[in-house]
Amino acid sequence: MIEMGLRAKIVFVVCVALVAGARSDRNPVGPKFTVEPSGKVQFYNSTGAVVTCAASGVPLPTMSWIKQDGTPVQEVPELLQIRPDASLIFAPFRPEDFRQDIHSATYRCTASNSVGIIGSRDVNIRAGKHITRYFTRLFCDAQCAQYIYSSLVL
């Protein structure tokens, strides 16, 4: 008799879970951005950048990034990663590792589910060289000193 009561409780819990799941499928909601990336992202090669994008919907949307020509963004080791939360990570890089197709390009975030697909505004990425300015003191002799302006590219 006690065993029958336990089975009934388990069946009831399973039924409630199934009904709750069915309800969410009966009222699907198309994707809507909760975080849309900025239209322009500028950063230095020495700092890198993170570009976030998030969306809600029922069922939960699948997030992805595409290039201006519509091709999917591919990760590039040590330069560009896509986090599980759909953030684009532009890692700090040496000036000689600059790639125009990555660091001076246009991207778009997309969110899709069974209801539809949406695309963010164009995200123009521009990475620049970080230049540190400093003064170097040159000694002419014991009585005169001259300063010159120098630039160092990091």
mmCIF file of all heavy atoms in Angstrom, residues 65-118:
data_model
loop_
_atom_site.group_PDB
_atom_site.id
_atom_site.type_symbol
_atom_site.label_atom_id
_atom_site.label_comp_id
_atom_site.label_asym_id
_atom_site.label_seq_id
_atom_site.Cartn_x
_atom_site.Cartn_y
_atom_site.Cartn_z
ATOM 1 N N TRP A 65 27.811 34.334 -34.534
ATOM 2 C CA TRP A 65 28.353 35.548 -35.147
ATOM 3 C C TRP A 65 28.623 35.284 -36.608
ATOM 4 O O TRP A 65 29.076 34.191 -36.982
ATOM 5 C CB TRP A 65 29.662 35.954 -34.460
ATOM 6 C CG TRP A 65 29.471 36.537 -33.103
ATOM 7 C CD1 TRP A 65 29.427 35.857 -31.909
ATOM 8 C CD2 TRP A 65 29.276 37.918 -32.787
ATOM 9 N NE1 TRP A 65 29.220 36.743 -30.879
ATOM 10 C CE2 TRP A 65 29.131 38.017 -31.395
ATOM 11 C CE3 TRP A 65 29.220 39.086 -33.546
ATOM 12 C CZ2 TRP A 65 28.936 39.227 -30.743
ATOM 13 C CZ3 TRP A 65 29.032 40.291 -32.908
ATOM 14 C CH2 TRP A 65 28.885 40.354 -31.521
ATOM 15 N N ILE A 66 28.344 36.299 -37.449
ATOM 16 C CA ILE A 66 28.647 36.198 -38.867
ATOM 17 C C ILE A 66 29.468 37.407 -39.288
ATOM 18 O O ILE A 66 29.431 38.456 -38.646
ATOM 19 C CB ILE A 66 27.372 36.083 -39.737
ATOM 20 C CG1 ILE A 66 26.448 37.284 -39.517
ATOM 21 C CG2 ILE A 66 26.662 34.765 -39.504
ATOM 22 C CD1 ILE A 66 25.248 37.329 -40.461
ATOM 23 N N LYS A 67 30.223 37.239 -40.374
ATOM 24 C CA LYS A 67 30.991 38.347 -40.956
ATOM 25 C C LYS A 67 30.068 39.135 -41.877
ATOM 26 O O LYS A 67 28.934 38.732 -42.147
ATOM 27 C CB LYS A 67 32.186 37.808 -41.754
ATOM 28 C CG LYS A 67 33.157 36.979 -40.956
ATOM 29 C CD LYS A 67 34.169 37.733 -40.202
ATOM 30 C CE LYS A 67 35.311 38.151 -41.005
ATOM 31 N NZ LYS A 67 36.535 38.477 -40.489
ATOM 32 N N GLN A 68 30.542 40.243 -42.403
ATOM 33 C CA GLN A 68 29.738 41.118 -43.253
ATOM 34 C C GLN A 68 29.230 40.381 -44.495
ATOM 35 O O GLN A 68 28.121 40.641 -44.963
ATOM 36 C CB GLN A 68 30.551 42.343 -43.666
ATOM 37 C CG GLN A 68 29.724 43.409 -44.338
ATOM 38 C CD GLN A 68 30.503 44.692 -44.520
ATOM 39 O OE1 GLN A 68 31.728 44.700 -44.555
ATOM 40 N NE2 GLN A 68 29.793 45.794 -44.620
ATOM 41 N N ASP A 69 30.000 39.430 -44.991
ATOM 42 C CA ASP A 69 29.586 38.690 -46.182
ATOM 43 C C ASP A 69 28.641 37.521 -45.866
ATOM 44 O O ASP A 69 28.247 36.766 -46.750
ATOM 45 C CB ASP A 69 30.802 38.176 -46.958
ATOM 46 C CG ASP A 69 31.636 37.168 -46.169
ATOM 47 O OD1 ASP A 69 31.255 36.795 -45.037
ATOM 48 O OD2 ASP A 69 32.699 36.756 -46.686
ATOM 49 N N GLY A 70 28.276 37.373 -44.580
ATOM 50 C CA GLY A 70 27.326 36.330 -44.177
ATOM 51 C C GLY A 70 27.949 35.014 -43.766
ATOM 52 O O GLY A 70 27.242 34.107 -43.332
ATOM 53 N N THR A 71 29.258 34.884 -43.875
ATOM 54 C CA THR A 71 29.910 33.637 -43.472
ATOM 55 C C THR A 71 30.062 33.588 -41.959
ATOM 56 O O THR A 71 30.257 34.620 -41.315
ATOM 57 C CB THR A 71 31.304 33.489 -44.124
ATOM 58 O OG1 THR A 71 32.117 34.600 -43.740
ATOM 59 C CG2 THR A 71 31.202 33.419 -45.637
ATOM 60 N N PRO A 72 29.966 32.401 -41.367
ATOM 61 C CA PRO A 72 30.118 32.276 -39.913
ATOM 62 C C PRO A 72 31.524 32.677 -39.461
ATOM 63 O O PRO A 72 32.503 32.403 -40.146
ATOM 64 C CB PRO A 72 29.884 30.786 -39.643
ATOM 65 C CG PRO A 72 29.231 30.254 -40.858
ATOM 66 C CD PRO A 72 29.658 31.120 -42.005
ATOM 67 N N VAL A 73 31.603 33.313 -38.309
ATOM 68 C CA VAL A 73 32.892 33.680 -37.717
ATOM 69 C C VAL A 73 33.546 32.407 -37.195
ATOM 70 O O VAL A 73 32.919 31.609 -36.495
ATOM 71 C CB VAL A 73 32.710 34.711 -36.584
ATOM 72 C CG1 VAL A 73 34.019 34.957 -35.853
ATOM 73 C CG2 VAL A 73 32.152 36.008 -37.142
ATOM 74 N N GLN A 74 34.802 32.235 -37.544
ATOM 75 C CA GLN A 74 35.586 31.092 -37.073
ATOM 76 C C GLN A 74 36.610 31.581 -36.057
ATOM 77 O O GLN A 74 37.178 32.665 -36.220
ATOM 78 C CB GLN A 74 36.318 30.424 -38.247
ATOM 79 C CG GLN A 74 35.406 29.912 -39.336
ATOM 80 C CD GLN A 74 34.543 28.759 -38.867
ATOM 81 O OE1 GLN A 74 34.982 27.898 -38.106
ATOM 82 N NE2 GLN A 74 33.294 28.756 -39.294
ATOM 83 N N GLU A 75 36.847 30.782 -35.039
ATOM 84 C CA GLU A 75 37.873 31.137 -34.064
ATOM 85 C C GLU A 75 39.254 31.081 -34.714
ATOM 86 O O GLU A 75 39.486 30.275 -35.619
ATOM 87 C CB GLU A 75 37.820 30.189 -32.863
ATOM 88 C CG GLU A 75 36.572 30.377 -32.030
ATOM 89 C CD GLU A 75 36.619 29.625 -30.711
ATOM 90 O OE1 GLU A 75 37.450 28.703 -30.557
ATOM 91 O OE2 GLU A 75 35.835 29.976 -29.824
ATOM 92 N N VAL A 76 40.123 31.974 -34.255
ATOM 93 C CA VAL A 76 41.511 32.011 -34.723
ATOM 94 C C VAL A 76 42.371 31.953 -33.473
ATOM 95 O O VAL A 76 42.351 32.887 -32.666
ATOM 96 C CB VAL A 76 41.800 33.298 -35.534
ATOM 97 C CG1 VAL A 76 43.267 33.331 -35.963
ATOM 98 C CG2 VAL A 76 40.866 33.412 -36.727
ATOM 99 N N PRO A 77 43.112 30.854 -33.280
ATOM 100 C CA PRO A 77 43.905 30.704 -32.058
ATOM 101 C C PRO A 77 44.747 31.941 -31.760
ATOM 102 O O PRO A 77 45.385 32.500 -32.642
ATOM 103 C CB PRO A 77 44.788 29.488 -32.357
ATOM 104 C CG PRO A 77 43.999 28.706 -33.367
ATOM 105 C CD PRO A 77 43.297 29.741 -34.209
ATOM 106 N N GLU A 78 44.686 32.361 -30.501
ATOM 107 C CA GLU A 78 45.443 33.486 -29.948
ATOM 108 C C GLU A 78 45.034 34.852 -30.489
ATOM 109 O O GLU A 78 45.632 35.856 -30.129
ATOM 110 C CB GLU A 78 46.944 33.257 -30.116
ATOM 111 C CG GLU A 78 47.406 32.007 -29.377
ATOM 112 C CD GLU A 78 48.902 31.851 -29.356
ATOM 113 O OE1 GLU A 78 49.614 32.864 -29.465
ATOM 114 O OE2 GLU A 78 49.358 30.707 -29.229
ATOM 115 N N LEU A 79 43.997 34.924 -31.337
ATOM 116 C CA LEU A 79 43.530 36.216 -31.833
ATOM 117 C C LEU A 79 42.038 36.431 -31.593
ATOM 118 O O LEU A 79 41.632 37.504 -31.165
ATOM 119 C CB LEU A 79 43.830 36.374 -33.330
ATOM 120 C CG LEU A 79 45.287 36.484 -33.741
ATOM 121 C CD1 LEU A 79 45.404 36.600 -35.255
ATOM 122 C CD2 LEU A 79 45.963 37.667 -33.061
ATOM 123 N N LEU A 80 41.220 35.423 -31.884
ATOM 124 C CA LEU A 80 39.767 35.576 -31.807
ATOM 125 C C LEU A 80 39.124 34.300 -31.283
ATOM 126 O O LEU A 80 39.325 33.225 -31.849
ATOM 127 C CB LEU A 80 39.208 35.914 -33.197
ATOM 128 C CG LEU A 80 37.694 36.029 -33.325
ATOM 129 C CD1 LEU A 80 37.155 37.185 -32.484
ATOM 130 C CD2 LEU A 80 37.307 36.225 -34.776
ATOM 131 N N GLN A 81 38.366 34.440 -30.190
ATOM 132 C CA GLN A 81 37.642 33.306 -29.625
ATOM 133 C C GLN A 81 36.171 33.692 -29.467
ATOM 134 O O GLN A 81 35.830 34.864 -29.359
ATOM 135 C CB GLN A 81 38.190 32.899 -28.252
ATOM 136 C CG GLN A 81 39.559 32.231 -28.305
ATOM 137 C CD GLN A 81 40.679 33.226 -28.414
ATOM 138 O OE1 GLN A 81 40.682 34.246 -27.737
ATOM 139 N NE2 GLN A 81 41.647 32.965 -29.277
ATOM 140 N N ILE A 82 35.319 32.664 -29.440
ATOM 141 C CA ILE A 82 33.894 32.851 -29.165
ATOM 142 C C ILE A 82 33.591 32.076 -27.891
ATOM 143 O O ILE A 82 33.756 30.860 -27.839
ATOM 144 C CB ILE A 82 33.010 32.339 -30.320
ATOM 145 C CG1 ILE A 82 33.414 33.018 -31.635
ATOM 146 C CG2 ILE A 82 31.539 32.586 -30.005
ATOM 147 C CD1 ILE A 82 32.766 32.418 -32.872
ATOM 148 N N ARG A 83 33.182 32.807 -26.850
ATOM 149 C CA ARG A 83 32.870 32.168 -25.569
ATOM 150 C C ARG A 83 31.515 31.466 -25.649
ATOM 151 O O ARG A 83 30.684 31.802 -26.495
ATOM 152 C CB ARG A 83 32.837 33.207 -24.447
ATOM 153 C CG ARG A 83 34.198 33.684 -24.047
ATOM 154 C CD ARG A 83 34.242 34.359 -22.695
ATOM 155 N NE ARG A 83 33.228 35.375 -22.491
ATOM 156 C CZ ARG A 83 33.410 36.483 -21.800
ATOM 157 N NH1 ARG A 83 34.564 36.742 -21.239
ATOM 158 N NH2 ARG A 83 32.435 37.357 -21.640
ATOM 159 N N PRO A 84 31.271 30.518 -24.746
ATOM 160 C CA PRO A 84 29.971 29.852 -24.711
ATOM 161 C C PRO A 84 28.791 30.821 -24.529
ATOM 162 O O PRO A 84 27.681 30.533 -24.974
ATOM 163 C CB PRO A 84 30.081 28.896 -23.519
ATOM 164 C CG PRO A 84 31.545 28.642 -23.384
ATOM 165 C CD PRO A 84 32.219 29.923 -23.798
ATOM 166 N N ASP A 85 29.038 31.986 -23.902
ATOM 167 C CA ASP A 85 27.953 32.966 -23.729
ATOM 168 C C ASP A 85 27.802 33.855 -24.966
ATOM 169 O O ASP A 85 27.085 34.852 -24.941
ATOM 170 C CB ASP A 85 28.188 33.824 -22.480
ATOM 171 C CG ASP A 85 29.374 34.772 -22.606
ATOM 172 O OD1 ASP A 85 30.086 34.744 -23.637
ATOM 173 O OD2 ASP A 85 29.583 35.559 -21.668
ATOM 174 N N ALA A 86 28.472 33.499 -26.073
ATOM 175 C CA ALA A 86 28.405 34.183 -27.372
ATOM 176 C C ALA A 86 29.196 35.478 -27.420
ATOM 177 O O ALA A 86 29.098 36.218 -28.393
ATOM 178 C CB ALA A 86 26.968 34.419 -27.818
ATOM 179 N N SER A 87 30.021 35.763 -26.424
ATOM 180 C CA SER A 87 30.879 36.949 -26.484
ATOM 181 C C SER A 87 32.040 36.685 -27.437
ATOM 182 O O SER A 87 32.601 35.593 -27.452
ATOM 183 C CB SER A 87 31.438 37.286 -25.105
ATOM 184 O OG SER A 87 30.411 37.665 -24.235
ATOM 185 N N LEU A 88 32.373 37.699 -28.234
ATOM 186 C CA LEU A 88 33.561 37.633 -29.088
ATOM 187 C C LEU A 88 34.736 38.163 -28.281
ATOM 188 O O LEU A 88 34.645 39.245 -27.699
ATOM 189 C CB LEU A 88 33.395 38.534 -30.313
ATOM 190 C CG LEU A 88 32.713 37.992 -31.543
ATOM 191 C CD1 LEU A 88 32.752 39.030 -32.663
ATOM 192 C CD2 LEU A 88 33.307 36.697 -32.010
ATOM 193 N N ILE A 89 35.807 37.417 -28.238
ATOM 194 C CA ILE A 89 36.995 37.810 -27.495
ATOM 195 C C ILE A 89 38.114 38.104 -28.489
ATOM 196 O O ILE A 89 38.576 37.212 -29.200
ATOM 197 C CB ILE A 89 37.470 36.695 -26.535
ATOM 198 C CG1 ILE A 89 36.340 36.212 -25.644
ATOM 199 C CG2 ILE A 89 38.683 37.154 -25.737
ATOM 200 C CD1 ILE A 89 35.765 37.256 -24.746
ATOM 201 N N PHE A 90 38.513 39.373 -28.543
ATOM 202 C CA PHE A 90 39.663 39.780 -29.338
ATOM 203 C C PHE A 90 40.829 39.867 -28.358
ATOM 204 O O PHE A 90 40.893 40.784 -27.543
ATOM 205 C CB PHE A 90 39.409 41.129 -30.011
ATOM 206 C CG PHE A 90 38.323 41.069 -31.041
ATOM 207 C CD1 PHE A 90 37.008 41.307 -30.685
ATOM 208 C CD2 PHE A 90 38.623 40.757 -32.360
ATOM 209 C CE1 PHE A 90 35.995 41.239 -31.632
ATOM 210 C CE2 PHE A 90 37.615 40.685 -33.314
ATOM 211 C CZ PHE A 90 36.302 40.927 -32.953
ATOM 212 N N ALA A 91 41.718 38.900 -28.437
ATOM 213 C CA ALA A 91 42.836 38.828 -27.495
ATOM 214 C C ALA A 91 43.876 39.897 -27.812
ATOM 215 O O ALA A 91 44.013 40.313 -28.971
ATOM 216 C CB ALA A 91 43.476 37.443 -27.565
ATOM 217 N N PRO A 92 44.615 40.353 -26.788
ATOM 218 C CA PRO A 92 45.733 41.251 -27.074
ATOM 219 C C PRO A 92 46.693 40.565 -28.051
ATOM 220 O O PRO A 92 46.851 39.338 -28.023
ATOM 221 C CB PRO A 92 46.393 41.442 -25.708
ATOM 222 C CG PRO A 92 45.310 41.153 -24.719
ATOM 223 C CD PRO A 92 44.470 40.082 -25.358
ATOM 224 N N PHE A 93 47.317 41.349 -28.922
ATOM 225 C CA PHE A 93 48.198 40.766 -29.930
ATOM 226 C C PHE A 93 49.363 41.706 -30.232
ATOM 227 O O PHE A 93 49.297 42.902 -29.955
ATOM 228 C CB PHE A 93 47.416 40.455 -31.216
ATOM 229 C CG PHE A 93 46.818 41.679 -31.873
ATOM 230 C CD1 PHE A 93 47.467 42.343 -32.904
ATOM 231 C CD2 PHE A 93 45.578 42.165 -31.457
ATOM 232 C CE1 PHE A 93 46.912 43.464 -33.496
ATOM 233 C CE2 PHE A 93 45.011 43.283 -32.049
ATOM 234 C CZ PHE A 93 45.686 43.938 -33.071
ATOM 235 N N ARG A 94 50.420 41.135 -30.778
ATOM 236 C CA ARG A 94 51.582 41.932 -31.187
ATOM 237 C C ARG A 94 51.234 42.693 -32.468
ATOM 238 O O ARG A 94 50.462 42.189 -33.285
ATOM 239 C CB ARG A 94 52.784 41.038 -31.433
ATOM 240 C CG ARG A 94 53.238 40.302 -30.172
ATOM 241 C CD ARG A 94 54.354 39.348 -30.482
ATOM 242 N NE ARG A 94 53.927 38.493 -31.613
ATOM 243 C CZ ARG A 94 54.696 37.606 -32.208
ATOM 244 N NH1 ARG A 94 55.922 37.416 -31.812
ATOM 245 N NH2 ARG A 94 54.239 36.876 -33.212
ATOM 246 N N PRO A 95 51.758 43.890 -32.668
ATOM 247 C CA PRO A 95 51.433 44.655 -33.878
ATOM 248 C C PRO A 95 51.660 43.868 -35.167
ATOM 249 O O PRO A 95 50.879 43.983 -36.103
ATOM 250 C CB PRO A 95 52.376 45.864 -33.801
ATOM 251 C CG PRO A 95 52.623 46.053 -32.348
ATOM 252 C CD PRO A 95 52.638 44.662 -31.766
ATOM 253 N N GLU A 96 52.681 43.052 -35.202
ATOM 254 C CA GLU A 96 52.953 42.268 -36.410
ATOM 255 C C GLU A 96 51.932 41.151 -36.648
ATOM 256 O O GLU A 96 51.889 40.563 -37.727
ATOM 257 C CB GLU A 96 54.384 41.704 -36.404
ATOM 258 C CG GLU A 96 54.711 40.808 -35.234
ATOM 259 C CD GLU A 96 55.331 41.541 -34.046
ATOM 260 O OE1 GLU A 96 55.128 42.758 -33.892
ATOM 261 O OE2 GLU A 96 56.004 40.864 -33.246
ATOM 262 N N ASP A 97 51.082 40.863 -35.646
ATOM 263 C CA ASP A 97 50.039 39.845 -35.795
ATOM 264 C C ASP A 97 48.694 40.429 -36.226
ATOM 265 O O ASP A 97 47.696 39.711 -36.293
ATOM 266 C CB ASP A 97 49.861 39.063 -34.481
ATOM 267 C CG ASP A 97 51.081 38.214 -34.168
ATOM 268 O OD1 ASP A 97 51.776 37.778 -35.117
ATOM 269 O OD2 ASP A 97 51.346 37.988 -32.972
ATOM 270 N N PHE A 98 48.664 41.740 -36.499
ATOM 271 C CA PHE A 98 47.429 42.386 -36.961
ATOM 272 C C PHE A 98 46.952 41.702 -38.239
ATOM 273 O O PHE A 98 47.716 41.454 -39.162
ATOM 274 C CB PHE A 98 47.693 43.873 -37.250
ATOM 275 C CG PHE A 98 46.512 44.581 -37.844
ATOM 276 C CD1 PHE A 98 45.555 45.154 -37.027
ATOM 277 C CD2 PHE A 98 46.353 44.677 -39.220
ATOM 278 C CE1 PHE A 98 44.457 45.809 -37.570
ATOM 279 C CE2 PHE A 98 45.269 45.334 -39.779
ATOM 280 C CZ PHE A 98 44.317 45.896 -38.946
ATOM 281 N N ARG A 99 45.641 41.399 -38.257
ATOM 282 C CA ARG A 99 45.011 40.833 -39.455
ATOM 283 C C ARG A 99 43.779 41.658 -39.782
ATOM 284 O O ARG A 99 42.859 41.766 -38.965
ATOM 285 C CB ARG A 99 44.619 39.371 -39.211
ATOM 286 C CG ARG A 99 45.802 38.442 -39.215
ATOM 287 C CD ARG A 99 45.439 36.992 -39.124
ATOM 288 N NE ARG A 99 44.310 36.597 -39.938
ATOM 289 C CZ ARG A 99 43.801 35.360 -39.914
ATOM 290 N NH1 ARG A 99 44.340 34.442 -39.144
ATOM 291 N NH2 ARG A 99 42.762 35.063 -40.660
ATOM 292 N N GLN A 100 43.764 42.207 -40.975
ATOM 293 C CA GLN A 100 42.658 43.073 -41.370
ATOM 294 C C GLN A 100 41.331 42.329 -41.329
ATOM 295 O O GLN A 100 40.313 42.894 -40.937
ATOM 296 C CB GLN A 100 42.896 43.656 -42.753
ATOM 297 C CG GLN A 100 41.820 44.648 -43.131
ATOM 298 C CD GLN A 100 42.298 45.669 -44.121
ATOM 299 O OE1 GLN A 100 43.470 45.777 -44.405
ATOM 300 N NE2 GLN A 100 41.373 46.437 -44.627
ATOM 301 N N ASP A 101 41.316 41.060 -41.712
ATOM 302 C CA ASP A 101 40.073 40.288 -41.742
ATOM 303 C C ASP A 101 39.506 40.030 -40.344
ATOM 304 O O ASP A 101 38.337 39.666 -40.195
ATOM 305 C CB ASP A 101 40.261 38.965 -42.479
ATOM 306 C CG ASP A 101 41.264 38.039 -41.794
ATOM 307 O OD1 ASP A 101 42.308 38.531 -41.316
ATOM 308 O OD2 ASP A 101 41.002 36.825 -41.748
ATOM 309 N N ILE A 102 40.311 40.276 -39.302
ATOM 310 C CA ILE A 102 39.854 40.106 -37.921
ATOM 311 C C ILE A 102 39.750 41.456 -37.215
ATOM 312 O O ILE A 102 38.729 41.768 -36.613
ATOM 313 C CB ILE A 102 40.820 39.190 -37.134
ATOM 314 C CG1 ILE A 102 40.804 37.779 -37.708
ATOM 315 C CG2 ILE A 102 40.466 39.171 -35.635
ATOM 316 C CD1 ILE A 102 41.874 36.873 -37.125
ATOM 317 N N HIS A 103 40.815 42.239 -37.291
ATOM 318 C CA HIS A 103 40.944 43.454 -36.481
ATOM 319 C C HIS A 103 40.414 44.729 -37.133
ATOM 320 O O HIS A 103 40.397 45.778 -36.502
ATOM 321 C CB HIS A 103 42.417 43.650 -36.096
ATOM 322 C CG HIS A 103 42.962 42.490 -35.331
ATOM 323 N ND1 HIS A 103 43.911 41.646 -35.838
ATOM 324 C CD2 HIS A 103 42.655 42.022 -34.098
ATOM 325 C CE1 HIS A 103 44.195 40.702 -34.944
ATOM 326 N NE2 HIS A 103 43.447 40.910 -33.879
ATOM 327 N N SER A 104 39.996 44.654 -38.375
ATOM 328 C CA SER A 104 39.397 45.797 -39.059
ATOM 329 C C SER A 104 38.278 45.256 -39.940
ATOM 330 O O SER A 104 38.344 45.280 -41.165
ATOM 331 C CB SER A 104 40.446 46.532 -39.897
ATOM 332 O OG SER A 104 39.862 47.672 -40.497
ATOM 333 N N ALA A 105 37.241 44.744 -39.289
ATOM 334 C CA ALA A 105 36.180 44.034 -39.998
ATOM 335 C C ALA A 105 34.815 44.357 -39.392
ATOM 336 O O ALA A 105 34.728 44.967 -38.327
ATOM 337 C CB ALA A 105 36.446 42.523 -39.940
ATOM 338 N N THR A 106 33.781 43.921 -40.087
ATOM 339 C CA THR A 106 32.410 44.133 -39.622
ATOM 340 C C THR A 106 31.784 42.775 -39.297
ATOM 341 O O THR A 106 31.854 41.843 -40.102
ATOM 342 C CB THR A 106 31.575 44.865 -40.695
ATOM 343 O OG1 THR A 106 32.210 46.119 -40.966
ATOM 344 C CG2 THR A 106 30.164 45.119 -40.212
ATOM 345 N N TYR A 107 31.192 42.703 -38.120
ATOM 346 C CA TYR A 107 30.569 41.482 -37.621
ATOM 347 C C TYR A 107 29.096 41.748 -37.325
ATOM 348 O O TYR A 107 28.671 42.882 -37.190
ATOM 349 C CB TYR A 107 31.249 41.016 -36.325
ATOM 350 C CG TYR A 107 32.711 40.672 -36.483
ATOM 351 C CD1 TYR A 107 33.692 41.658 -36.467
ATOM 352 C CD2 TYR A 107 33.113 39.353 -36.630
ATOM 353 C CE1 TYR A 107 35.033 41.341 -36.604
ATOM 354 C CE2 TYR A 107 34.463 39.024 -36.763
ATOM 355 C CZ TYR A 107 35.412 40.026 -36.748
ATOM 356 O OH TYR A 107 36.734 39.693 -36.881
ATOM 357 N N ARG A 108 28.319 40.659 -37.171
ATOM 358 C CA ARG A 108 26.924 40.773 -36.769
ATOM 359 C C ARG A 108 26.581 39.568 -35.899
ATOM 360 O O ARG A 108 26.922 38.438 -36.217
ATOM 361 C CB ARG A 108 26.018 40.813 -37.989
ATOM 362 C CG ARG A 108 24.548 40.960 -37.617
ATOM 363 C CD ARG A 108 23.706 41.118 -38.833
ATOM 364 N NE ARG A 108 23.874 42.498 -39.279
ATOM 365 C CZ ARG A 108 23.059 43.082 -40.127
ATOM 366 N NH1 ARG A 108 22.054 42.424 -40.636
ATOM 367 N NH2 ARG A 108 23.251 44.335 -40.472
ATOM 368 N N CYS A 109 25.914 39.830 -34.783
ATOM 369 C CA CYS A 109 25.465 38.774 -33.878
ATOM 370 C C CYS A 109 24.085 38.308 -34.343
ATOM 371 O O CYS A 109 23.246 39.130 -34.727
ATOM 372 C CB CYS A 109 25.387 39.343 -32.454
ATOM 373 S SG CYS A 109 24.751 38.178 -31.232
ATOM 374 N N THR A 110 23.837 37.006 -34.299
ATOM 375 C CA THR A 110 22.517 36.484 -34.642
ATOM 376 C C THR A 110 21.982 35.620 -33.500
ATOM 377 O O THR A 110 22.745 34.997 -32.765
ATOM 378 C CB THR A 110 22.534 35.646 -35.933
ATOM 379 O OG1 THR A 110 23.342 34.490 -35.737
ATOM 380 C CG2 THR A 110 23.056 36.452 -37.114
ATOM 381 N N ALA A 111 20.665 35.623 -33.377
ATOM 382 C CA ALA A 111 19.973 34.783 -32.388
ATOM 383 C C ALA A 111 18.838 34.080 -33.131
ATOM 384 O O ALA A 111 18.062 34.731 -33.832
ATOM 385 C CB ALA A 111 19.425 35.634 -31.251
ATOM 386 N N SER A 112 18.748 32.775 -32.964
ATOM 387 C CA SER A 112 17.703 32.036 -33.676
ATOM 388 C C SER A 112 17.082 30.957 -32.796
ATOM 389 O O SER A 112 17.744 30.386 -31.933
ATOM 390 C CB SER A 112 18.273 31.405 -34.951
ATOM 391 O OG SER A 112 19.258 30.444 -34.630
ATOM 392 N N ASN A 113 15.806 30.736 -33.006
ATOM 393 C CA ASN A 113 15.108 29.606 -32.398
ATOM 394 C C ASN A 113 14.045 29.137 -33.390
ATOM 395 O O ASN A 113 14.039 29.593 -34.545
ATOM 396 C CB ASN A 113 14.544 29.952 -31.003
ATOM 397 C CG ASN A 113 13.439 30.983 -31.018
ATOM 398 O OD1 ASN A 113 12.902 31.344 -32.066
ATOM 399 N ND2 ASN A 113 13.082 31.472 -29.839
ATOM 400 N N SER A 114 13.142 28.263 -32.962
ATOM 401 C CA SER A 114 12.146 27.705 -33.881
ATOM 402 C C SER A 114 11.169 28.749 -34.408
ATOM 403 O O SER A 114 10.511 28.533 -35.418
ATOM 404 C CB SER A 114 11.383 26.567 -33.193
ATOM 405 O OG SER A 114 10.743 27.057 -32.017
ATOM 406 N N VAL A 115 11.090 29.899 -33.759
ATOM 407 C CA VAL A 115 10.171 30.962 -34.190
ATOM 408 C C VAL A 115 10.801 31.808 -35.289
ATOM 409 O O VAL A 115 10.137 32.238 -36.230
ATOM 410 C CB VAL A 115 9.750 31.842 -32.992
ATOM 411 C CG1 VAL A 115 8.868 32.987 -33.443
ATOM 412 C CG2 VAL A 115 9.042 30.999 -31.945
ATOM 413 N N GLY A 116 12.111 32.087 -35.171
ATOM 414 C CA GLY A 116 12.747 32.933 -36.175
ATOM 415 C C GLY A 116 14.191 33.246 -35.857
ATOM 416 O O GLY A 116 14.791 32.656 -34.955
ATOM 417 N N ILE A 117 14.713 34.182 -36.606
ATOM 418 C CA ILE A 117 16.110 34.597 -36.450
ATOM 419 C C ILE A 117 16.175 36.124 -36.508
ATOM 420 O O ILE A 117 15.433 36.739 -37.276
ATOM 421 C CB ILE A 117 17.004 33.967 -37.540
ATOM 422 C CG1 ILE A 117 18.471 34.326 -37.318
ATOM 423 C CG2 ILE A 117 16.542 34.362 -38.928
ATOM 424 C CD1 ILE A 117 19.426 33.525 -38.189
ATOM 425 N N ILE A 118 17.038 36.694 -35.672
ATOM 426 C CA ILE A 118 17.261 38.142 -35.694
ATOM 427 C C ILE A 118 18.756 38.402 -35.789
ATOM 428 O O ILE A 118 19.571 37.571 -35.381
ATOM 429 C CB ILE A 118 16.668 38.863 -34.458
ATOM 430 C CG1 ILE A 118 17.256 38.308 -33.150
ATOM 431 C CG2 ILE A 118 15.149 38.798 -34.461
ATOM 432 C CD1 ILE A 118 16.855 39.084 -31.896
#
